[in-house]
Every structure is written in C-alpha cells, then in structure tokens.
Amino acid sequence: MPKRSATIQRKTKETQIELILNLDGSGTSQVKSPVPFLNHMLEAFSKHSGFDLKVNAKGDTHIDDHHTVEDIGICLGMALDKALGDKKGITRYGHFYVPLDEALVRAVVDLSGRNYINFALDLAVKKRIGNFDTELVEDFFRAVVDNGKFNLHLEKIHGRNSHHVVEAAFKSFARALKMAAAFDDKLKGVPSTKGKI
C-alpha cells in the first residue's frame, strides 16, 4: 500500500506555514497557529478523520485572521490532493451527519478531481465566536476544496449556536472525508468510468 502523506510549505509576505498530513494515521495532531479557534477545529478534524495532522503557522494576525485562516486552508487542500495520489482503490464518496446539542450538520464529499462547494451553514454575518470571525469559516472551506480538487456539500440542518454549528461542520467534514478516502477492497483501479480522476 502506498504511503499516503504529504508535506506542504507555503511562504508569502503575509503567512509562513508548514503542514504535514498522513491519511493513514491514528488521528493525532499538533496544531500551532495564532488563531486559537481554528486550532481547536483542526484538532477536532484530525481526531474524527483519523488523519495525523501537524500545522505550524505564523501570520499577520495583527492586521486580521483572514490571511492565516485561508492559507492554512490552501495548504490542507494541497496536502489532501497530494496525499491521495492517483486515487486508485478509494471509495471516492463519503457522507456524514454530526449532531452537537441543538446543531445538526451534514457533509457530503466526492473526491472527483473537480472543485465545487455548496456552503450552507447559514452563519450570522459579522458574528464572532470568541475573537474568531465566522465569515472565515466559508473562506477556509473554499480554500480547502479549491486546492484539494474535490466536491463538498456542507449544510446546517438545525442549529442556533454558531460554535456548535461550526464544530459540527468540521467533524462531519472529517468523517465524510475519512469515508471517501478509505480503500474499497473490491475496487480495482480508479472509481470512475472514465478511468481517471
């Protein structure tokens, strides 16, 4: 079985990021960035996906968290795409519902090689979770999807508390991605009639 891991390094005038992802890990994480809420979400993502994740990020958060959050999303998407390789033998599709108290979120994933996101978490504009701007949740997921080259439908079914909705989103995404990236023992080659993803 090929090693499904990737290391991404990204350095700009705004951010400096190193991200290491192992799809066949045990859900251990080391996440260091100047955005505490995102750190918490990435740790949950790692735990519930079973992927090992290491992130070391610095950014111009004295201006705004946007660059750091988006660039970590870019790196995670790039790492997913690289670690999945030719996608031979994977399940390709995944879906999962996660409840968190009053919140219920559904994630559906297709590792199709084509980027598309339906982001429907219905978060309040300009609302904050602690010091974290909820607008950045969509920016993060768009960056992951665009650079990971896959299809994601992320929808809030119920929910009042933004923290609960966002945490359920990260966890449902993690579990759906785990399902999609898993190997199907009965499948030979790439899961596409085209013969290529």
Side-chain angles (χ1 to χ4, degrees):
M1 184 182 296
K3 186 176 181 182
R4 300 195 303 165
S5 63
T7 299
I8 302 295
Q9 293 181 325
R10 177 181 170 85
K11 187 174 183 179
T12 71
K13 291 181 179 179
E14 299 163 341
T15 63
Q16 183 175 335
I17 299 164
E18 181 180 49
L19 186 148
I20 303 170
L21 180 69
N22 177 9
L23 301 183
D24 302 308
S26 58
T28 61
S29 62
Q30 284 182 276
V31 181
K32 295 179 183 175
S33 91
V35 187
F37 182 74
L38 182 62
N39 296 349
H40 178 47
M41 293 301 102
L42 290 173
E43 288 163 359
F45 168 80
S46 173
K47 175 64 71 176
H48 292 278
S49 65
F51 303 161
D52 292 344
L53 178 65
K54 185 174 183 181
V55 178
N56 192 357
K58 297 176 183 176
D60 58 354
T61 52
H62 59 286
I63 296 172
D64 189 87
D65 288 349
H66 180 269
H67 298 144
T68 304
V69 171
E70 186 173 53
D71 284 11
I72 291 172
I74 288 170
C75 292
L76 180 58
M78 291 171 68
L80 280 166
D81 184 51
K82 186 176 178 182
L84 285 165
D86 60 14
K87 299 179 181 152
K88 285 183 180 176
I90 64 165
T91 302
R92 178 176 166 175
Y93 300 101
H95 59 90
F96 213 86
Y97 290 78
V98 167
L100 182 54
D101 296 343
E102 89 297 342
L104 178 62
V105 175
R106 172 178 57 212
V108 183
V109 168
D110 175 11
L111 298 175
S112 61
R114 300 181 304 276
N115 56 302
Y116 177 82
I117 184 169
N118 173 35
F119 184 88
L121 292 187
D122 190 31
L123 297 168
V125 177
K126 294 291 184 185
K127 188 168 181 180
R128 291 186 172 267
I129 302 170
N131 292 320
F132 185 83
D133 185 347
T134 57
E135 287 183 337
L136 298 180
V137 177
E138 182 171 357
D139 296 331
F140 173 83
F141 279 107
R142 285 193 180 279
V144 176
V145 167
D146 287 348
N147 291 274
K149 301 172 190 166
F150 64 94
N151 201 286
L152 173 64
H153 290 256
L154 195 58
E155 299 165 279
K156 179 181 86 172
I157 297 167
H158 301 293
R160 173 194 55 79
N161 182 292
S162 293
H163 188 135
H164 292 169
V165 171
V166 174
E167 188 166 341
F170 272 83
K171 289 176 178 178
S172 61
F173 171 59
R175 292 300 296 259
L177 196 56
K178 177 181 182 177
M179 182 186 294
F183 285 110
D184 181 342
D185 294 335
K186 296 180 181 178
L187 182 65
K188 306 297 181 188
V190 175
S192 172
T193 54
K194 295 174 183 163
K196 183 178 180 181
I197 294 182

